[in-house]
Amino acid sequence: MVIGLMWPVLVSPFSVAPRWQSAKSRRSAVPIATAIAPAAAKTELLAAIDTFRAIKTRDGGVAVDFGVRGGELDKESRTPNNLVAARKYYEVSEAAGKAADDVVAAVHNLEASTSPIEPTRFFGTVEGAACGLHGGWAQLFTTAADATFDAKSKRGDAEVCNVVDARKGEITNVIQFKAPNRTVDQLRVRLTAKPTSANKVELVFRTVRVRFAKRFLGIFKQILLPVPALAISRLFFLFRPNKRPKQPFFEVLYLDDDLRVQRTGDGNLFVQRRIDPAIAGF
């Protein structure tokens, strides 16, 4: 159950806490490739997402459940399925499939633009608060099955966000479940992160904190578990010598003060907007 949710859910505008405002002013001094944001491409993407979400509300979403059988993970690679590439939204309705394709096309248009902010500058340094990735981010859209939740699935509906601490070089993925009768209230997956280029960040899963809606066994309100994700992957591939586990990473395709677009190592897209980290309990 947990393993699928532990893949990079690198997940709405953050209203900004005072410490972030000071960092934002510092970021403004960072040299950028262009002084003009690609406003038209950004507007197109946000409009496409609004249309997609409206159609999902009307026609329904894709009900993803845990593991390979639930459609969450690919059978061969054990990485999250790409719901848009697999045309899963067309199984909901023609309109939903077309709307999902339009979002992906708008992402590619924005990707062709130049980001106003260099994504990994200051990441993992004492000046990390000035990094463009630093702060909270809520998910607007994703193609990734493990970060897609629906009330009709066994997993139930959930809100997904993440908080980047660029000073410590840490990312925490937060999955807040919404079902009234939920057993698990929230998952927090902590990762350490290291930039390997101006727009690429490698990830290592560290721990998952499970918070229960009611005390587990009548005792535990929450538990903290280690996450040896890479070790598990290596064990799985031990008997498959022709295949190797992938090092998790994400590549930032576009970043400005309130919008973040990225592609994970398995090819899934995430579109996120900035939020106040306090919304996620930070």
Side-chain angles (χ1 to χ4, degrees):
M1 175 184 75
V2 177
I3 295 300
L5 292 174
M6 283 183 245
W7 213 262
V9 179
L10 296 170
V11 179
S12 347
F14 272 97
S15 36
V16 183
R19 64 173 184 166
W20 173 258
Q21 290 171 343
S22 61
K24 180 179 176 181
S25 64
R26 291 182 63 198
R27 287 202 316 276
S28 300
V30 176
I32 56 178
T34 176
I36 302 175
K42 179 179 176 180
T43 300
E44 176 191 32
L45 173 59
L46 294 176
I49 291 173
D50 285 344
T51 299
F52 171 74
R53 291 166 73 122
I55 292 174
K56 263 186 70 177
T57 299
R58 184 192 71 190
D59 296 353
V62 177
V64 177
D65 280 310
F66 297 111
V68 173
R69 289 187 179 182
E72 180 187 35
L73 302 178
D74 179 78
K75 182 178 180 180
E76 293 298 317
S77 67
R78 290 310 200 264
T79 57
N81 282 318
N82 185 317
L83 298 178
V84 177
R87 297 176 62 83
K88 289 296 182 180
Y89 287 104
Y90 280 99
E91 297 177 13
V92 175
S93 71
E94 183 73 18
K98 176 64 166 56
D101 286 345
D102 287 347
V103 175
V104 172
V107 166
H108 293 326
N109 288 340
L110 187 59
E111 180 184 2
S113 306
T114 301
S115 289
I117 296 173
E118 184 179 322
T120 63
R121 186 169 187 180
F122 301 123
F123 193 97
T125 72
V126 294
E127 298 181 282
C131 176
L133 293 172
H134 185 77
W137 300 89
Q139 181 172 293
L140 291 178
F141 173 84
T142 185
T143 62
D146 68 325
T148 299
F149 297 87
D150 188 270
K152 296 179 181 178
S153 69
K154 293 179 182 178
R155 301 194 304 181
D157 199 5
E159 294 181 353
V160 179
C161 67
N162 72 16
V163 177
V164 179
D165 188 333
R167 291 166 297 194
K168 294 181 179 179
E170 292 186 351
I171 298 173
T172 303
N173 296 327
V174 182
I175 302 99
Q176 179 64 54
F177 293 95
K178 299 167 66 175
N181 60 342
R182 60 190 180 272
T183 301
V184 174
D185 180 55
Q186 185 187 86
L187 292 177
R188 289 193 180 192
V189 183
R190 187 178 68 86
L191 310 92
T192 52
K194 179 179 70 174
T196 57
S197 73
N199 63 342
K200 181 179 177 181
V201 178
E202 288 190 347
L203 306 165
V204 177
F205 293 95
R206 296 299 184 185
T207 61
V208 58
R209 185 179 298 275
V210 184
R211 188 174 74 192
F212 299 100
K214 297 181 180 179
R215 290 189 180 275
F216 183 60
L217 301 177
I219 302 173
F220 304 105
K221 183 60 178 176
Q222 60 183 11
I223 57 174
L224 183 66
L225 303 171
V227 185
L230 190 56
I232 290 173
S233 296
R234 285 172 176 164
L235 181 62
F236 175 76
F237 285 100
L238 179 63
F239 303 102
R240 309 176 73 181
N242 294 329
K243 295 184 179 291
R244 293 288 182 272
K246 294 181 179 179
Q247 172 70 45
F249 71 88
F250 66 86
E251 181 182 13
V252 180
L253 308 180
Y254 178 85
L255 180 67
D256 64 20
D257 282 334
D258 62 16
L259 187 70
R260 171 180 164 196
V261 182
Q262 64 192 42
R263 182 186 295 116
T264 62
D266 47 73
N268 278 303
L269 297 173
F270 287 80
V271 180
Q272 302 153 321
R273 65 180 184 181
R274 191 175 295 284
I275 60 172
D276 186 338
I279 294 174
F282 285 76

